[in-house]
Amino acid sequence: MFNYDVCVIGGGTAGSFAAISAAKEGLKVLVVEKSGNLGGTSTNGLVSPSMPTYVGKTRLQKELEQELEKLDGPVYSKRYQKEITCAVKERPDESSTVMYFSAEAMQIALESLAIKYGVDILYDTVCFQAEIEEAKIKTVKAITCDGVIQIKAANFIDASGDAVLAKLCDLPLEYGNEDGDNQYSSLRFEVGNVNIDVFLDYMNTQLNQSYSKSEYPFYTFGVLHQGKEQVLEPLYKQALADGVISEEEYVWFQAFSIPSKPGVFTFNCPRIPNKTNIINPLVRSENYIKGRQMIQKYMNFMTKYLPGFEDCYIEKIATTIGVRESVRVLGQYRLNKDDYLERTKFEDGIVRADWWIDIHKKDHDPTEENRYDYHEYFEIPYRSLITGKISNYAVVGRCISSDFASQASIRIQPQCRMMGEAIGIACRISKNEEVQLNKLNGNQIKIEMSERYE
């Protein structure tokens, strides 16, 4: 029998920070992770760079950045400081303010922090059963490379990304939008052996326009939401007319450099047209297959049409599909679109959120985004992480209690990490004050989190 103060199911973006935070608070912590490394979509899903937040970072987030810089070098462009200190209402240029990193560096950085603070990690381990007694999780069972184990903990954190522990506890859930449709998912990939000099000459000189304000090696390019007169759109249209790509590829094409990997770009595509309910295991599996087929078409386009990419090759394909939204736990408070629109602040608002309503679907509607001005934000309340049904359960990451629209705002990496950090604080308070997670005063957590923002 394994026995811990905190057991975190899933070591992804939110889960790794939940474990590190709880261990840093002096608790005995175990992470149960189905893959062989921490980071989830940021590592196995190749989701890099990390989108920005302009309403402060916690010290733990900065500690992660320091670990990444030891491995990868600078994670921000030279324009970063200028952009984030601008005295205007408009949001800064994102290509200059995203946090760049390689998947390999993120794996090592998160693991280094986990080891530093004493987190125990079980890789290649999947939780499959929960034993409930008197509205409390007593133990969970998991399958390892050596068979079944049983884990006892005072508190259990569901950071699985698909609410796996919630399902084992028979907690109420909701899926997708009002029609049951999920956001499109992506199967990202990396391309190597790009002739950067030829490519940048084409973008900056021959086209006489740079797509990215930030200079290489902090660079992004693409064709997003056709009709915006982006510099590469004529090439893309020609490839569509020639039958090299289809309408499915034509809808979205986006790439970012990886500064520590010269000549390599990571692609935020293909964006796979989902069938209803990405949580369906057959649909999820079909998306992997479809994604790899679409990647071949992107490669044909780049090698035939895009200067500098003639001799490029696939360096890596994500081993985890980039699910933006699948299932959400119904907690004590269901965050909603009005909270976003009204910039709602809560007495138990533990995380500041300032990303827009970023819904990936077939027909893009920019009016749905309702983008904030610089430094505006709403808050994620602690009650959206806990449920009234199980006293020692909490959820972090993309599955917290929220409607479809608000989830599209809170799902990005900085906010998921800070949810994890906040729940680590909650677990320490729960132990020290002998109060169940779902009975805690969230305002106490908000005060402590506010003190950690810098």
Side-chain angles (χ1 to χ4, degrees):
M1 175 81 75
F2 290 72
N3 199 339
Y4 286 85
D5 295 319
V6 180
C7 177
V8 181
I9 307 300
T13 301
S16 57
F17 254 52
I20 293 165
S21 172
K24 196 173 181 180
E25 295 294 323
L27 303 179
K28 186 181 179 184
V29 181
L30 175 69
V31 175
V32 175
E33 168 55 38
K34 65 182 179 181
S35 74
N37 56 266
L38 300 178
T41 53
S42 69
T43 53
N44 301 321
L46 304 182
V47 180
S48 171
S50 172
M51 294 299 103
T53 179
Y54 305 119
V55 289
K57 302 175 189 174
T58 62
R59 289 188 287 275
L60 186 54
Q61 168 69 20
K62 290 187 174 182
E63 195 172 351
L64 173 63
E65 293 177 9
Q66 291 167 1
E67 290 295 321
L68 289 170
E69 287 176 346
K70 292 176 187 176
L71 299 158
D72 263 357
V75 295
Y76 292 109
S77 73
K78 292 179 181 179
R79 290 179 57 93
Y80 174 74
Q81 199 60 38
K82 177 182 178 181
E83 291 286 343
I84 64 167
T85 55
C86 65
V88 295
K89 287 180 65 177
E90 291 77 16
R91 289 169 65 91
D93 170 60
E94 281 163 19
S95 67
S96 305
T97 55
V98 294
M99 185 180 79
Y100 290 81
F101 60 88
S102 67
E104 295 81 4
M106 182 62 80
Q107 288 181 25
I108 296 169
L110 288 171
E111 195 171 73
S112 296
L113 289 175
I115 292 169
K116 176 181 177 180
Y117 292 111
V119 176
D120 287 343
I121 306 170
L122 283 177
Y123 289 133
D124 292 335
T125 302
V126 176
C127 177
F128 69 88
Q129 189 177 78
E131 179 187 3
I132 312 295
E133 282 189 8
E134 297 179 349
K136 185 176 181 180
I137 304 171
K138 184 178 179 181
T139 64
V140 297
K141 287 184 178 179
I143 185 73
T144 73
C145 54
D146 193 36
V148 175
I149 60 170
Q150 195 167 19
I151 304 164
K152 182 179 181 180
N155 289 309
F156 290 85
I157 310 304
D158 191 345
S160 61
D162 287 323
V164 169
L165 185 57
K167 293 168 188 172
L168 297 177
C169 295
D170 199 28
L171 293 175
L173 306 169
E174 63 177 328
Y175 302 81
N177 61 14
E178 61 273 12
D179 297 318
D181 295 329
N182 297 120
Q183 287 202 49
Y184 284 2
S185 57
S186 295
L187 188 67
R188 298 181 67 145
F189 65 107
E190 293 180 7
V191 164
N193 200 38
V194 177
N195 189 320
I196 296 298
D197 292 336
V198 171
F199 173 64
L200 292 181
D201 177 71
Y202 176 74
M203 293 292 286
N204 300 337
T205 303
Q206 295 185 45
L207 295 181
N208 197 31
Q209 182 179 358
S210 175
Y211 186 89
S212 176
K213 290 184 179 180
S214 184
E215 296 181 358
Y216 189 83
F218 301 92
Y219 195 81
T220 180
F221 69 93
V223 183
L224 317 177
H225 310 310
Q226 286 67 29
K228 295 172 67 176
E229 299 182 355
Q230 296 159 103
V231 295
L232 289 177
E233 193 162 352
L235 281 186
Y236 220 43
K237 284 184 177 179
Q238 187 60 54
L240 178 64
D242 294 343
V244 173
I245 60 173
S246 71
E247 291 285 350
E248 291 177 335
E249 290 78 36
Y250 181 70
V251 73
W252 190 265
F253 176 62
Q254 184 181 36
F256 298 90
S257 60
I258 305 176
S260 61
K261 296 182 177 183
V264 176
F265 282 94
T266 182
F267 287 80
N268 184 23
C269 53
R271 203 173 65 168
I272 305 161
N274 287 348
K275 296 179 180 178
T276 299
N277 195 354
I278 189 64
I279 208 70
N280 182 307
L282 290 176
V283 173
R284 181 77 63 92
S285 300
E286 289 170 3
N287 276 14
Y288 277 101
I289 296 167
K290 180 69 173 179
R292 285 187 275 269
Q293 293 171 345
M294 293 174 73
I295 287 171
Q296 290 301 315
K297 294 183 180 181
Y298 283 110
M299 290 299 296
N300 287 338
F301 160 69
M302 289 185 282
T303 56
K304 292 178 180 179
Y305 294 84
L306 195 54
F309 282 75
E310 294 87 351
D311 298 318
C312 74
Y313 54 81
I314 297 173
E315 189 166 89
K316 188 184 299 183
I317 297 176
T319 56
T320 295
I321 202 162
V323 175
R324 294 180 171 90
E325 172 270 334
S326 60
V327 57
R328 304 181 301 280
V329 178
L330 289 172
Q332 291 188 12
Y333 183 85
R334 183 176 180 264
L335 202 63
N336 59 72
K337 184 178 180 179
D338 285 342
D339 292 325
Y340 175 92
L341 295 176
E342 296 169 8
R343 283 74 168 160
T344 303
K345 311 298 188 294
F346 298 92
E347 184 179 348
D348 62 341
I350 55 173
V351 174
R352 302 169 188 171
D354 62 341
W355 193 247
W356 64 80
I357 297 177
D358 188 7
I359 298 173
H360 287 248
K361 60 181 182 178
K362 181 179 179 181
D363 299 315
H364 176 65
D365 182 0
T367 63
E368 290 182 334
E369 294 177 348
N370 293 288
R371 299 193 183 207
Y372 283 177
D373 288 335
Y374 191 35
H375 291 315
E376 290 186 322
Y377 67 94
F378 73 118
E379 290 180 336
I380 300 171
Y382 177 66
R383 285 165 294 152
S384 292
L385 278 60
I386 53 176
T387 173
K389 291 182 175 287
I390 302 292
S391 62
N392 63 339
Y393 168 95
V395 58
V396 292
R398 68 174 185 246
C399 293
I400 68 167
S401 185
S402 54
D403 69 4
F404 183 75
S406 61
Q407 190 274 348
S409 168
I410 58 90
R411 64 180 174 80
I412 67 167
Q413 290 182 39
Q415 291 154 191
C416 287
R417 291 191 191 103
M418 286 183 275
M419 286 185 225
E421 184 169 356
I423 208 66
I425 295 170
C427 288
R428 184 254 300 157
I429 296 172
S430 173
K431 179 180 180 180
N432 291 351
E433 298 186 4
E434 298 182 346
V435 179
Q436 295 299 323
L437 281 180
N438 71 347
K439 301 294 183 183
L440 284 182
N441 180 357
N443 182 252
Q444 188 175 351
I445 305 166
K446 176 176 183 173
I447 292 170
E448 290 202 31
M449 282 293 288
S450 297
E451 293 169 349
R452 298 179 187 209
Y453 274 99
E454 295 179 349

